């Protein structure tokens, strides 16, 4: 999974009724374009994350 600063990381809900979580990539901490990523969620909280198979990256030009 590759991402750059400014991309959106969407983590899909895994159970019925759970909403997708949308986060903005604010920093790439791994090798170029690779996890881990520092992300900011809708509430402004930042965390470091390695996305799993239930995630996808949306690039600004794809929205």
């Amino acid at each position: 999974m590759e991402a750059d600063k400014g991309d959106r990381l969407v983590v899909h809900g895994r159970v019925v009724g759970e909403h997708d979580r949308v986060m903005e990539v604010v920093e790439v901490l791994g090798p170029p374009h690779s996890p881990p990523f520092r992300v900011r969620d809708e509430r402004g909280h930042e965390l470091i994350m390695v996305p799993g198979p239930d995630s996808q990256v949306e690039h600004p030009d794809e929205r």
Side-chain angles (χ1 to χ4, degrees):
M1 175 170 295
E2 295 186 352
D4 290 311
K5 183 177 177 181
D7 289 345
R8 291 187 345 174
L9 180 65
V10 180
V11 180
H12 300 289
R14 289 187 248 167
V15 295
V16 175
E18 185 177 44
H19 297 286
D20 293 348
R21 294 174 52 203
V22 179
M23 295 165 265
E24 176 188 0
V25 176
V26 294
E27 184 178 5
V28 177
L29 300 171
H33 315 289
S34 300
F37 305 120
R38 181 181 313 274
V39 296
R40 182 178 302 126
D41 68 13
E42 299 100 349
R43 297 175 294 176
H45 297 131
E46 291 190 7
L47 58 142
I48 295 174
M49 162 169 217
V50 176
D54 57 345
S55 305
Q56 73 182 59
V57 173
E58 294 179 351
H59 305 285
D61 55 340
E62 294 175 350
R63 291 186 219 152

